[in-house]
Amino acid sequence: MTEDYSQYPKHLVAVDCIIFGFDGENLKILLVKRNFEPQMGEWSLMGGFIGSDETSDEAATRVLHTLTGLENIYLEQLKCYTEIKREPTARIMSISYYALINIEKDIQINEQYNAEWVELKKAPDLIFDHNDMVKDAVARLRRRASTRPIGFELLPEKFTMKDLQNLYEAIFDEKFDKRNFTSKVNSLDILVNTNKKDMSSSRKGSFLYRFDEKKYNKKISQGFMFKI
Amino acid sequence: MTEDYSQYPKHLVAVDCIIFGFDGENLKILLVKRNFEPQMGEWSLMGGFIGSDETSDEAATRVLHTLTGLENIYLEQLKCYTEIKREPTARIMSISYYALINIEKDIQINEQYNAEWVELKKAPDLIFDHNDMVKDAVARLRRRASTRPIGFELLPEKFTMKDLQNLYEAIFDEKFDKRNFTSKVNSLDILVNTNKKDMSSSRKGSFLYRFDEKKYNKKISQGFMFKI
DNA sequence: TCAAAAGTGTTAGTGTTACACCCATGA
DNA sequence: TCATGGGTGTAACACTAACACTTTTGA
């Protein structure tokens, strides 16, 4: 006996992206103002339906590319939301993805979507269950940030210790001690000092560092665990 | 302008369950031998399609109930697998769930599915991407077990320290020091000694403990963090 | 010479790991 | 009385958290 699939219902399945960015001070998310019904004019996450010949990862990548023009974005699947009435007009499942992008890269935000970077803490109410999605994404981001070096996805290639600390403080919404933070990071031994200085923030200038991915991967393969 | 959903493709969406159990010694998973095509006769996870009027959580609960007769099973969504060719006969997305059940509860395993408990370490090759699902589920179980008191879902209501240690050793596939384990667990202060003894394992007998969920919840609300 | 941010060590406390002997009991 | 598993404490070590002063430099 072969399974007869025609007896089973089919579903609309979308992806929604929680796009994180960091401006040196605050953690932000990229939101779009809907220019179509339902809920036209309200804020939401950027999303799109999954096509019949693409995976959800591909759909999320496509959606991000459409909005930002960027490729090779850090992307991770979060969760599938399947409440029947999560959207009022039809039963649509949605797989949420969170993305980390370097806000300084010259992004060509597609005008057509009315997209805007908003501070995470000041984000407006979103439609449907998108507020939940953001909450879940922040929780995941915190967990990941403490066990994987994903923070660097949010920073420019070269950054100061202060930038890095600001980032972690923004992610965890918590202040850290400068000396403890620096020595913790240094003890990980996965940054290289470029010996260049950023002179914009002080007279003395502060050293610019780079994440050494090769070294990190080598250490990982030797049993090293990132932990911050 | 209102969205016209008819232009978007619909998809078959299933759930697949990684069902963990513990027999006092080994971590096991409940597998079924397929009695339908494709891949009839091969081992797979228990699964089922999501209906049009049920959420994925409900579908997973239904699938588990159908197989085991149990209700109120600990269940957590894991991940949505969407590779186009993950099943050979049709494009089917699948949301994986992992479940924890107390193997000693008198489960009425539904005969019709040829289900069997197999040791995790000795599990046979599974169809499709079910091996990946199991791998992901084990990773999640380890993470959860170290930060949430979910281990108790796998044990009978009363258990000895040894049982608990055996369980954690099985989950993490690692031996722990008996004294350190006991004092760690005791320091959490979320177990109660029932002052009854299990006399089956030794002449002296060993105390039976119970997880004090109320106390745990109270401690959690006061900022306590489970960590093992 | 001063204002402003960068850079840098030490100490106390807490948690983690390693380790071995006595206890209670039924046979 | 002995064989078996149950139960228990301590010391070294590693990690974490708290804390303040000196350096550099452009204005």
Side-chain angles (χ1 to χ4, degrees):
Chain A
M1 142 188 159
T2 298
E3 194 90 80
D4 170 20
Y5 296 122
S6 68
Q7 66 181 292
Y8 300 110
K10 291 184 152 194
H11 309 272
L12 290 164
V13 187
V15 294
D16 283 301
C17 299
I18 299 94
I19 306 167
F20 290 104
F22 179 65
D23 66 0
E25 285 297 323
N26 295 295
L27 205 53
K28 301 193 162 185
I29 54 177
L30 190 55
L31 298 176
V32 299
K33 199 180 243 171
R34 283 167 80 94
N35 53 10
F36 54 87
E37 294 293 348
Q39 252 94 330
M40 180 153 68
E42 294 193 47
W43 291 100
S44 82
L45 297 171
M46 179 73 184
F49 286 96
I50 300 179
S52 44
D53 51 2
E54 64 179 358
T55 64
S56 57
D57 286 14
E58 284 160 1
T61 304
R62 169 175 57 77
V63 162
L64 282 168
H65 181 78
T66 306
L67 181 62
T68 66
L70 295 173
E71 318 226 3
N72 298 320
I73 296 178
Y74 181 92
L75 198 64
E76 195 181 340
Q77 189 196 120
L78 275 170
K79 196 179 157 183
C80 190
Y81 297 76
T82 64
E83 286 298 316
I84 316 266
K85 301 221 174 271
R86 53 175 295 282
E87 301 207 19
T89 50
R91 200 248 167 120
I92 304 175
M93 300 183 182
S94 177
I95 306 175
S96 66
Y97 277 80
Y98 83 94
L100 304 180
I101 77 184
N102 173 355
I103 220 166
E104 293 192 7
K105 266 193 184 145
D106 34 34
I107 309 173
Q108 298 301 337
I109 302 260
N110 193 324
E111 301 272 334
Q112 143 181 29
Y113 297 101
N114 305 303
E116 247 177 63
W117 284 107
V118 302
E119 271 183 49
L120 184 57
K121 287 184 178 178
K122 299 178 183 166
D125 236 38
L126 306 179
I127 59 165
F128 309 152
D129 48 6
H130 289 196
N131 292 308
D132 295 332
M133 290 182 175
V134 171
K135 232 174 92 191
D136 290 345
V138 170
R140 176 75 68 96
L141 174 61
R142 285 186 181 157
R143 198 146 42 71
R144 276 286 181 280
S146 68
T147 55
R148 298 272 172 80
I150 59 169
F152 307 111
E153 302 285 341
L154 291 161
L155 291 171
E157 199 204 331
K158 291 173 189 167
F159 50 85
T160 65
M161 252 329 151
K162 186 104 203 293
D163 292 334
L164 190 61
Q165 181 170 347
N166 283 347
L167 170 62
Y168 276 87
E169 289 180 344
I171 290 175
F172 293 103
D173 193 21
E174 195 181 337
K175 291 285 169 198
F176 300 119
D177 177 86
K178 180 172 56 157
R179 276 173 291 186
N180 290 341
F181 184 83
T182 310
S183 57
K184 176 72 134 319
V185 169
N186 281 331
S187 75
L188 294 175
D189 189 28
I190 53 174
L191 295 190
V192 285
N193 188 331
T194 63
N195 288 313
K196 293 192 178 68
K197 283 196 165 190
D198 166 31
M199 301 306 293
S200 67
S201 63
S202 73
R203 311 236 151 106
K204 190 177 176 181
S206 55
F207 281 113
L208 289 163
Y209 293 85
R210 201 167 42 71
F211 171 52
D212 189 339
E213 197 171 352
K214 268 192 201 148
K215 191 173 202 175
Y216 169 76
N217 288 330
K218 193 172 159 212
K219 294 189 71 162
I220 282 291
S221 71
Q222 293 166 352
F224 167 75
M225 294 266 261
F226 180 91
K227 190 89 192 61
I228 209 158
Chain B
M1 141 190 160
T2 298
E3 193 92 81
D4 170 20
Y5 296 122
S6 68
Q7 66 180 294
Y8 300 109
K10 290 183 152 195
H11 310 272
L12 290 164
V13 187
V15 294
D16 283 301
C17 299
I18 299 95
I19 307 167
F20 290 105
F22 179 66
D23 66 0
E25 285 297 322
N26 294 295
L27 205 54
K28 301 193 163 185
I29 53 176
L30 190 55
L31 298 177
V32 299
K33 200 180 242 170
R34 284 167 80 93
N35 53 9
F36 53 88
E37 294 294 350
Q39 250 96 331
M40 181 152 68
E42 295 194 47
W43 291 100
S44 82
L45 297 170
M46 179 73 184
F49 286 96
I50 300 179
S52 43
D53 52 1
E54 64 180 358
T55 64
S56 57
D57 286 15
E58 285 160 1
T61 304
R62 169 175 57 76
V63 162
L64 282 168
H65 181 78
T66 306
L67 181 62
T68 65
L70 295 173
E71 318 227 4
N72 299 320
I73 296 179
Y74 181 92
L75 199 63
E76 195 180 340
Q77 189 196 119
L78 275 170
K79 196 177 157 184
C80 190
Y81 296 76
T82 64
E83 286 298 316
I84 316 268
K85 301 220 175 272
R86 53 176 294 282
E87 302 206 20
T89 50
R91 201 250 166 121
I92 303 174
M93 299 183 183
S94 177
I95 305 175
S96 67
Y97 277 80
Y98 83 96
L100 304 180
I101 77 184
N102 173 356
I103 220 167
E104 294 193 7
K105 268 198 181 137
D106 34 34
I107 308 173
Q108 298 301 339
I109 303 257
N110 193 325
E111 302 273 334
Q112 143 181 30
Y113 297 102
N114 306 302
E116 248 177 63
W117 284 107
V118 301
E119 271 184 47
L120 184 57
K121 287 184 179 176
K122 298 177 183 166
D125 235 38
L126 307 179
I127 59 164
F128 310 153
D129 48 5
H130 289 196
N131 293 308
D132 295 331
M133 291 182 176
V134 171
K135 232 174 92 192
D136 290 346
V138 170
R140 175 75 67 97
L141 174 61
R142 286 186 180 156
R143 199 147 40 71
R144 276 286 181 279
S146 69
T147 56
R148 298 273 171 80
I150 58 168
F152 307 110
E153 303 285 341
L154 290 161
L155 291 171
E157 199 205 331
K158 292 172 189 168
F159 50 84
T160 65
M161 251 331 149
K162 187 107 205 291
D163 292 334
L164 190 61
Q165 181 170 348
N166 282 347
L167 170 62
Y168 276 88
E169 289 181 344
I171 291 175
F172 293 104
D173 192 21
E174 194 180 336
K175 291 284 170 200
F176 300 120
D177 176 86
K178 180 172 56 155
R179 276 173 292 189
N180 291 340
F181 184 82
T182 310
S183 59
K184 176 70 134 319
V185 170
N186 282 331
S187 76
L188 294 174
D189 190 28
I190 53 174
L191 295 190
V192 285
N193 187 330
T194 63
N195 288 312
K196 293 192 179 66
K197 282 197 166 189
D198 166 31
M199 300 307 294
S200 68
S201 63
S202 73
R203 313 235 151 110
K204 187 177 176 181
S206 54
F207 281 114
L208 288 162
Y209 293 85
R210 201 167 42 70
F211 171 52
D212 190 339
E213 197 171 351
K214 268 192 200 147
K215 192 173 203 174
Y216 170 75
N217 287 330
K218 193 172 159 211
K219 295 190 72 162
I220 282 292
S221 71
Q222 293 166 353
F224 167 75
M225 294 266 261
F226 180 91
K227 190 89 191 61
I228 210 157

